Amino acid sequence: MSKYLPHLILTAGLLPAIATAAEPVKLTEDTYKADLGAIVVQINWGRAWKCGQFENAQLQALTFTKSPIAAETSSTLALEPPSKLFADNQYLPYVLVIEPGDYVLTAFDVKVARSSSEVAHIKGSKDDLIKDGKPIGGSFTVSPGEIVYIGHFGLDCGAEPFLWRNYIEGQQDFERYVAGFRQKFPFVKNVPVRFGLFETTLFGNSYSLKDPVVK
């Protein structure tokens, strides 16, 4: 899949997750501000059975950091399942308010198990996901006053369990998705929603819409 894939799988279990992490801020009437941005993302935290050579695998953490990345000052968005033990095998929606800017993937954690007693973790850190200052893991961008759909994250169970970004396909399906979103969050019904996938060559396929913004 990528020249970086073998390195991630062989060494990631020895790498620490990012040290600083902020609590995600959910979109509400109180948290929304016109000079901020928001992302819409769905994540499947559930166990995938018979995943590659493993009995099961489970995505357990995703971390995005605002660029430019500095150890103590950059905004960090750390996402984890509400319950690792009882996570359902389905996509869980998140709508989060964040500072506008470019965000890069700086950490992830995939738990893998050959049995109930033989458990390990495939992890990625900044050392894996940023090379020569470039975010090889992937990135997304949010501008002030917009809401951005960045994709559906889960696992690919090919040769090895691997983080993967899926997406809504087609203009009509995206517009229906936005309509459902606006029913749930009517206070931002006039805010543009953009199809702005997490861009990556390592954890997903490229895809775009001809008209990415629903006004």
Side-chain angles (χ1 to χ4, degrees):
M1 187 176 300
S2 167
K3 63 182 180 180
Y4 297 105
L5 175 58
H7 173 70
L8 283 170
I9 289 178
L10 289 173
T11 67
L14 302 176
L15 295 170
I18 192 165
T20 58
E23 283 292 324
V25 179
K26 295 181 180 179
L27 176 65
T28 66
E29 288 190 75
D30 292 331
T31 61
Y32 175 74
K33 301 289 186 291
D35 59 339
L36 298 177
I39 61 168
V40 181
V41 57
Q42 298 207 180
I43 304 175
N44 187 340
W45 301 113
R47 283 186 179 87
W49 296 93
K50 303 300 181 183
C51 193
Q53 60 178 301
F54 296 94
E55 180 183 90
N56 66 78
Q58 182 183 22
L59 177 61
Q60 294 197 333
L62 280 176
T63 301
F64 301 96
T65 304
K66 186 180 177 184
S67 182
I69 296 172
E72 297 181 357
T73 60
S74 295
S75 297
T76 300
L77 181 64
L79 300 173
E80 295 183 349
S83 169
K84 294 178 181 178
L85 186 60
F86 299 107
D88 292 329
N89 190 17
Q90 63 183 15
Y91 285 104
L92 184 66
Y94 293 84
V95 185
L96 306 170
V97 178
I98 62 174
E99 295 179 8
D102 298 325
Y103 287 78
V104 303
L105 180 67
T106 49
F108 67 85
D109 181 2
V110 177
K111 177 185 175 183
V112 293
R114 297 187 187 278
S115 67
S116 59
S117 60
E118 191 176 354
V119 177
H121 288 261
I122 298 171
K123 293 184 180 182
S125 76
K126 288 189 294 183
D127 292 338
D128 300 297
L129 301 168
I130 300 175
K131 298 292 184 182
D132 300 322
K134 296 180 180 180
I136 65 166
S139 64
F140 66 87
T141 300
V142 179
S143 298
E146 74 168 356
I147 298 168
V148 182
Y149 163 73
I150 66 169
H152 283 56
F153 289 79
L155 292 181
D156 174 68
C157 289
E160 298 283 352
F162 203 61
L163 173 66
W164 198 250
R165 187 267 293 130
N166 292 301
Y167 49 83
I168 299 167
E169 291 192 54
Q171 190 75 41
Q172 290 185 343
D173 282 350
F174 180 58
E175 290 177 1
R176 282 195 289 266
Y177 187 82
V178 172
F181 164 80
R182 286 174 170 168
Q183 284 184 343
K184 188 172 182 179
F185 300 95
F187 56 91
V188 289
K189 65 181 180 180
N190 296 320
V191 178
V193 180
R194 179 168 61 86
F195 188 94
L197 287 184
F198 171 77
E199 296 181 6
T200 180
T201 57
L202 185 59
F203 300 113
N205 297 320
S206 296
Y207 184 81
S208 61
L209 295 179
K210 182 179 180 181
D211 298 312
V213 179
V214 179
K215 296 183 179 179

